[in-house]
Amino acid sequence: MSELLLPPEHRYAKIIQERHNEDGSELSILNLGPTHPATHGIFQNILLMDGEKIVEAEPTIGYIHRAFEKIAENRPFYQITPLTDRMNYCSSPINNMGWWMTVEKLLDIEVPKRVQYLRVIVMELARISDHLICNSILGVDTGAYTGFLYVFQFREKIYEIYEEICGARLTTNMGRIGGFERDWSPEAFRKLEVFLQDFPVAWKEFENLFERNRIFIDRTVNVGPITAEMAMAYGFTGPNLRAAGIDYDVRVAHPYSSYEDFEFIVPVGKSGDTYDRFCVRNAEVWESLSIIRQALAKMPEGNVYHADVPEYYLPPKEDVYTDMESLIYHFKIVMGEVPVPVAEIYHAVEGGNGEVGFYLVTDGSRTPYRLHFRRPCFIYYQAYPEMIKGAMLSDAIVILSSLNVIAGELDA
């Protein structure tokens, strides 16, 4: 059997024997994961160690494989949203909005400007929540628990806004084809205003706690650097790519949901190390706050919250019970009797971790013929073994944390 086909622990055992015979050094095998909390998800890295130095590494994924793509191919289009929730569950509304925009692109549905702005607000809240968790947990992994405990309360505030919008918190199942299932309540806007007032003060304090902290700097600067060329070769997108100096952002390169209406910069780093990834995410939080404020200021008047497409938009339940036309539309949509075009399309949004894409092929039936999710974590996690080779074990933890690998995106 080829050595490449052997399990890593078998190949490593042979290397250990050869090294021992050659120079008397003692190598060892260490399983980092799949259940250790430092892995931030259910996946494993089998490490060949020379003391605390990593000689080689091989990742193993698939522990929570859920066959989302195949499940989606057997579900009507409007029932696929709960599957997208469970990819990057730290910013699930972005996945929800991305899926609805994909279907709207398929059906050539023009969404009202107010709906587009509302989507921008909720997607930027999700980005803030995602970066807040990533950077505060990176602090925990370097030994600083205080920052995490301090800012975590604001993720709760974001979840309360989600709850006002759709009734859910972590996995939101937010929206429908053409918009939202209900208009935003006055309480949702009130909670949003309170968040915009209180959170920036706390986030500035969080930045001050870490960005010039000597211990944090020593643990993150020049740790896990990746060059722009290497990042491009591995297919990086999102903050991990921008930290390497490349200013690619889907919101700018391929605007959607009226992102072209807003002024914001794309933060970039230089060295692509753990510290740069941390700083880029910090800066993106400020840009997200600015975008939310602009969306509120430019919000069109009225209470429009969905496109006028009764053949695709599920009618309100109270109308289904009392209005025959609504009942007919509801029945036709649920039973898949409304035709969809035969098409092949791709649509992407800027997720918390990078480009979240949906490749959709339809054959005119009530379900997708083929649906593939482009999960940014699955793409850039392939570079992790190369990034930690030659590093210390403690460095491997903070590098993994700074990449923000979400297991739900690995095992879709």
Side-chain angles (χ1 to χ4, degrees), residues 37-38 40 136-144 219 394 397-398 400-402:
H40 303 299
S136 63
I137 290 295
L138 178 57
V140 174
D141 288 333
T142 58
R219 289 296 310 278
S394 59
I397 301 300
V398 297
L400 183 65
S401 185
S402 72

Side-chain angles (χ1 to χ4, degrees), residues 201-237:
V201 178
W203 192 247
K204 185 60 180 176
E205 291 177 324
F206 176 81
E207 284 186 325
N208 292 340
L209 182 64
F210 285 97
E211 288 191 349
R212 302 307 302 164
N213 183 294
R214 174 47 55 190
I215 297 174
F216 184 77
I217 289 173
D218 288 345
R219 289 296 310 278
T220 56
V221 171
N222 294 326
V223 173
I226 184 168
T227 65
E229 292 76 17
M230 179 180 167
M232 290 290 289
Y234 272 108
F236 276 36
T237 54

Side-chain angles (χ1 to χ4, degrees), residues 366-384:
R366 65 195 296 264
T367 63
Y369 175 76
R370 180 73 178 95
L371 178 58
H372 174 66
F373 301 137
R374 186 200 186 276
R375 298 103 60 198
C377 285
F378 182 73
I379 305 296
Y380 62 67
Y381 183 54
Q382 298 169 81
Y384 181 63

